[in-house]
Structure formats: C-alpha cells, structure tokens
Amino acid sequence: MRLFRDNKFVTVVAMGTVLIISAPQTLAATGISAGISERMAVNIEDDSNVNAGVSSVLADCIDVSAAKATISSGESAVTALGQQETVCGYTNIGIANVESNLNVRKEASEESELAGKLPRDAGCEILGTEGEWSQIQSGEVTGYVKSEFLLTGKEARDYAPQISSAIATCTADTLRVREEPNTESTILALMPNGEEVEVLEDQGDWIKVSVDNEEGYVKADYVTVSNELTKAMTMTEVRYGQGVSDVKVDLVSYACQFIGNPYVWGGTSLTNGADCSGFTLSIFAKYGIYLPHSAAAQANCGRRVSASEAQPGDLFFYGGGRISHVAIYIGNGQIVHASTRRTGIKISNAYYRSPVCVVRLLD
C-alpha cells in the first residue's frame, strides 16, 4: 500500500485499487484506517480468488503443455517409424545366420512344408513373430524361420553393408551383355527384364558386370544399380514331360537339394563349394556318368539335342565366343547351376542367356 497526501486529499493505492479520500485537516485517522482496512480486506479476498484462478489456469496450461508434449512425442515416433531408414531395401531387416541354408517353412512348425531356403547371409524383411518363429519375406518367398537363426536389429543393420553387393537389374525387355564396352563388341549374353547381375565397376555410360563369373558390359541406361543382399531361393515345383525316366527325375531332385550352397572356383564339393562344371560333374558321378572338369569339354560328351526338345537332366551350355558355363535342365523352362560367388547354386530361367547347345547324357 502506498499513501500520497496533500492539503486536500489522501490518495491510497492498495492491492491495485486507488482510493481518493477527502482529507481536511480534521480527518479522523481512525476513519481512514477503518476504510482502508475494509477495502484491503475486500481486495485481499479478491486477490485470493484471482490467485486461485491464476493457479487453476496455470495448472491447465501445464496439463495442456504435457498433453502437447505427449502428442509431439507420439508424432515424432510415428514420423520416425514412417521415415525409418531402409538397409539394402529392408526396413525391419533380418539376415540368415547359418553355415549353409535356413529352411523357410509355410507355417510356424518343423513339420510344415518347405516354402524355400534362405542361404547364409541372405536378407529378408521380418513381418512378425510367433513364439520362436519369425515370419519373413525374401525375394519371392514368404514363410517362417526359426528366430534364433536370424541376425536382427542394429547387429543386422551394421552387418548388411559388409556383405551386400552392387547389383544391376535389367529394365529393358532384352539387354545385350557385351564383351567390351561398345555396341560393336561381341554379345556375351542376353538379359531379360528383371534379371540381376553383379556389378564389378561403374564406368559411366557402361556398367562392368559379372555373368556366371564372366566379365561383360551393359549400357547404364538400361539397368538400375542398388546394393542388395542375396535373396531366398524358391522351392519350385518341377514339371516333367513325357519320356522322362525315373533316373532323370531322381537326378533333378538330387541336384536341387544343393540350392543355396556356395560357388567355389575349381571346386567339386556339393556342400562346401563347386563351380559350374564341378557341380554337374559331381551330380552325374552319383549316377555312374563321369565328366571332365570343364564346361567346354562336357559339351563334347553325350549327344546334342535342340533346346525345344530338352528334358530334365539335359545339360545346357552357355558362352560368347566359347563355351564357358554349364547347367542342368530341371524342366518347366528352368535350370539349376552353380552360378556366381554371390548367389551360389541356384535356379534360373533356362533362357536367361541364349544357350549355345544342349547335350543329353541320360537316354
């Protein structure tokens, strides 16, 4: 409270209220005191109400701020989830942590039918979990794997760049792979739309690639390049034509058991690693047919047939100026072969390259 006094008036300022009181010389101090006391009491009561209201408003503001903080936190979490960084094309990445292949089953059960195989260090998208099983999607395979055999989370994200490869995917209907980086060079292979090959070097207008471990070149305009992990192998149903013996059916079934196993140059082991001719050599040896360890030499064995007459168990040979690759025809327009170090033993379209010749060893 502040009091200002002159000869005529006493001005009192108390609790934000201004009182102007006539102040003759004979003004009784007791009257002034009583008026001021009464007014102060009213103001004090009013101030208590105001303070209570201010406190209530402040409390509401705090509650609103907390709510806003919660909403903001939730929005940030949603934004982070929506913008979560992908690694090699996967958002919730899993990597097969096995020595050879991880079985992918159609249901979350050991007794369930196989949907495919996930090779060592292959990547997948983890869709969810059911107990000790994870539902995954990799390439064309969707199914369940044992969670204990997957690297996940930060461990998988950190490991992925170490094992990924630069892959060129064909975007044209048919793309010529040439021996040299010019359009006049010999055509080494023909790539259909969607076919993938490993990138060895980006040379600007041309991309140097590996096709069945042969070096070739493709025009950069007709491919997309990305870092990718190996994908799951499908266990496709093999369809057989007329005249196919039980031996041929058994041979194809036997060869497909090794899908996903590694490619090793000069190797002949179906489990630890083989190259293309080492793979065919070892498969046919089980059936009493002994082949030389060379794709070109194997092309001179047996008898030649046209590709349109091919039966399961026939050998398909590929190459540019010379035969350099061999595969086993499994029917339904598909082959199984030891392809590259990146993919190992895999199934491919029999016409992913133009075959040089087809040889029949089993009649």
Side-chain angles (χ1 to χ4, degrees), residues 176-194:
R176 297 175 178 87
V177 182
R178 298 188 179 271
E179 289 188 345
E180 299 296 334
N182 64 74
T183 56
E184 305 302 320
S185 177
T186 301
I187 297 173
L188 179 65
L190 296 175
M191 287 174 57
N193 186 280

Side-chain angles (χ1 to χ4, degrees), residues 3-25:
L3 184 147
F4 303 92
R5 181 170 183 170
D6 59 23
N7 291 332
K8 296 182 178 181
F9 300 98
V10 175
T11 302
V12 180
V13 180
M15 296 297 188
T17 301
V18 179
L19 302 176
I20 301 176
I21 304 170
S22 177
Q25 297 290 332

Side-chain angles (χ1 to χ4, degrees), residues 62-324:
I62 292 170
D63 288 343
V64 170
S65 297
K68 286 182 176 179
T70 302
I71 292 170
S72 176
S73 175
E75 288 175 345
S76 298
V78 170
T79 301
L81 182 62
Q83 298 177 348
Q84 187 173 347
E85 181 183 1
T86 60
V87 179
C88 297
Y90 300 106
T91 301
N92 188 14
I93 188 172
I95 298 177
N97 186 25
V98 290
E99 288 298 321
S100 55
N101 297 294
L102 178 57
N103 288 331
V104 183
R105 299 191 179 274
K106 292 185 177 181
E107 303 293 338
S109 168
E110 291 279 12
E111 286 69 43
S112 177
E113 186 180 352
L114 285 176
K117 290 189 176 184
L118 201 61
R120 177 182 179 179
D121 288 343
C124 65
E125 183 75 23
I126 300 175
L127 305 176
T129 58
E130 290 186 21
E132 61 182 358
W133 295 85
S134 291
Q135 185 183 25
I136 62 100
Q137 193 275 327
S138 178
E140 298 179 4
V141 176
T142 300
Y144 294 84
V145 299
K146 283 291 191 69
S147 301
E148 62 183 297
F149 299 115
L150 284 180
L151 291 181
T152 60
K154 185 177 185 301
E155 188 175 10
R157 293 194 299 273
D158 291 344
Y159 184 48
Q162 302 175 37
I163 56 174
S164 64
S165 302
I167 301 299
T169 303
C170 176
T171 57
D173 289 338
T174 303
L175 179 60
R176 297 175 178 87
V177 182
R178 298 188 179 271
E179 289 188 345
E180 299 296 334
N182 64 74
T183 56
E184 305 302 320
S185 177
T186 301
I187 297 173
L188 179 65
L190 296 175
M191 287 174 57
N193 186 280
E195 184 70 19
E196 298 178 347
V197 289
E198 185 175 1
V199 173
L200 300 178
E201 184 182 354
D202 187 340
Q203 298 184 353
D205 291 341
W206 292 86
I207 306 292
K208 188 177 183 180
V209 299
S210 174
V211 181
D212 300 325
N213 289 299
E214 286 188 89
E215 295 181 358
Y217 297 84
V218 296
K219 287 285 287 182
D221 293 340
Y222 303 111
V223 296
T224 57
V225 177
S226 58
N227 286 324
E228 296 187 15
L229 298 175
T230 302
K231 298 181 178 67
M233 299 284 188
T234 59
M235 302 298 288
T236 57
E237 294 183 359
V238 179
R239 299 176 182 174
Y240 304 101
Q242 291 183 343
V244 179
S245 67
D246 290 340
V247 172
K248 291 183 179 182
V249 172
D250 189 69
L251 182 143
V252 167
S253 178
Y254 178 64
C256 288
Q257 292 180 28
F258 304 103
I259 291 170
N261 286 353
Y263 176 101
V264 175
W265 176 259
T268 59
S269 172
L270 297 173
T271 53
N272 296 325
D275 59 15
C276 65
S277 59
F279 174 66
T280 54
L281 177 156
S282 297
I283 293 296
F284 277 88
K286 182 178 187 295
Y287 298 88
I289 297 175
Y290 301 98
L291 300 173
H293 194 176
S294 160
Q298 289 181 8
N300 294 320
C301 301
R303 70 180 180 90
R304 297 197 176 189
V305 298
S306 67
S308 62
E309 298 172 333
Q311 294 181 355
D314 290 346
L315 294 181
F316 270 54
F317 293 88
Y318 304 89
R322 59 183 178 83
I323 290 174
S324 58

